[in-house]
Amino acid sequence: MTPSVAQGEAVIRVQGLLKRFGPKTVLRGLDLEVYPGEFLALLGPNGAGKTTLLRILASLSRPTAGEVRIGGYRLPHEAAGVRRRLGVVSHLPLLYGDLSAEENLRFYGRLYGGSDLDERIDEALDLVGLSARRHDLVRTYSRGMQQRLAIARALLHDPEVLLLDEPYTGLDQDASAMLDNVLRQVAAQGRTIVMTSHDLSRAAALATRFAVLSRGRIVASVRREDIADGELLAFYRRAVSGEGGPLPPPPAPAAPPVPPKAPGQAAPARRETPFGRATLAVLWKDLAAEFRSRELLSAMLVFALLVILIFNFALDLNPKARLAATPGVLWVTLTFAGTLGLNRSMAIEKDRGCLDGLLLAPVDRSAIYFGKMLSNLAFMLLVAAIVMPVYSLLYNINLLQPGLLGVVLLGSIGYIAVGTLLATMSVQTRTREMLLPILLFPVIVPALIAAVKASSGLLQALPFDDIRAWFNLLITYDLVFTAVAYMVFDYIVEE
């Protein structure tokens, strides 16, 4: 049975919410109700827990205790149902700089599914006034334009609830005024909006209700019609300081007004995006962005070719010794270049908040893993396809043998399967460049040994029966660790 919200009931209901980060308690038994059609401005000093609350509502962070329901769905157990009904705008735009505005929206539209994607992209760009710049790369946009495009991204799948975390951060007066106009249009469509803000004057002009969060709790709440013009600042200061005693929330309205949506604004079907479609969307996005910027591949290739050249001049060996050293040199080159690529691939997702954008989509999160794994594998194999002929010319050794190409494929699959998972884990830390090799190399040792041994046997023309065990080890390693990554990825990406 699909959860639903009856007339007059809260679309967001939070009871006894507790959130701890280690010994630090950020939210302390927080209670909150937001009703359909409301525009709630969530106010509070720095460190009050506003962003943490929104991340929990967005299913990006698990509560330590308490109950959270959105649209009748309970978090975190029914998070997929919640994600289909949410649009989120955060401090970061969650957009890819090497894709155009239209390509960004098309990518997110594929993740969210639904029909008439072209029409929805046109409507979203028209709403935020970016139709004329739809084919420009997002990295050429100003901060205000990126924030407007972030609004378009959040509205593309026609969400019932919009969460805005300090959307005015970094905007000038003109960009802020334009964002005001966009939010008024969105509110007029009857969406439920929760916005955190430090700008009380702007919140007073937009919101229909104000709630003050202080020391991890909602300490006061008031509707716009219940507070005089110009009194919001005094109300806020009184709530934060606690002077005059607690200010209880007002009674909930019996039937909050929900303005009708404009013609053509019917919500798309609420179905989960198929696994394969989500995987291919992530793969397409990575390939399109990389072949436009060539940032990741260039770094990998330069590094790999530099290693080969250094070994070529450093190892002045006879042909027999070179043949014996080739498997080790080849796999040192591929693994270190692969590590560089894995680090950069996940850093791109983290730096602009795009990893959160992926996690907000109503898809099986393992599809995100497989999409990233396939793109990383494609980059590593492309580097191998360039490096191996160069190596063959420099060392006068034929590496373009079918059996050896099979070993490179099997070894690369195992390396990328584990590396993508651990890169996702390490990218959350400040020392990600150092941490990834520390985590990866001990785990990948069995596959590397098998790849080196199998490569050596093929180059020495040994009978296949003599190296069959190494092939079997590579295949088993690939299957086991790919399955493990599939099962644990959802837990790895949780905050």
Side-chain angles (χ1 to χ4, degrees), residues 80-81 83-85 106-115 117 120 157 268-282 357-358 360-368:
R83 293 179 192 128
R84 290 194 295 272
R85 288 158 172 79
R106 189 169 300 282
F107 166 63
Y108 280 108
R110 289 170 177 170
L111 288 185
Y112 281 85
S115 57
L117 181 55
R120 287 188 284 133
H157 58 289
R270 303 288 188 179
R271 60 180 185 271
E272 184 168 323
T273 306
F275 187 96
R277 178 174 178 174
T279 299
L280 291 177
V282 175
L358 295 177
L360 286 167
V363 300
D364 186 331
R365 286 177 169 174
S366 298
I368 299 172

Side-chain angles (χ1 to χ4, degrees), residues 446-466:
L448 289 180
I449 292 174
V452 170
K453 290 292 188 180
S455 301
S456 178
L458 289 168
L459 289 173
Q460 296 177 34
L462 297 179
F464 184 74
D465 286 344
D466 292 350

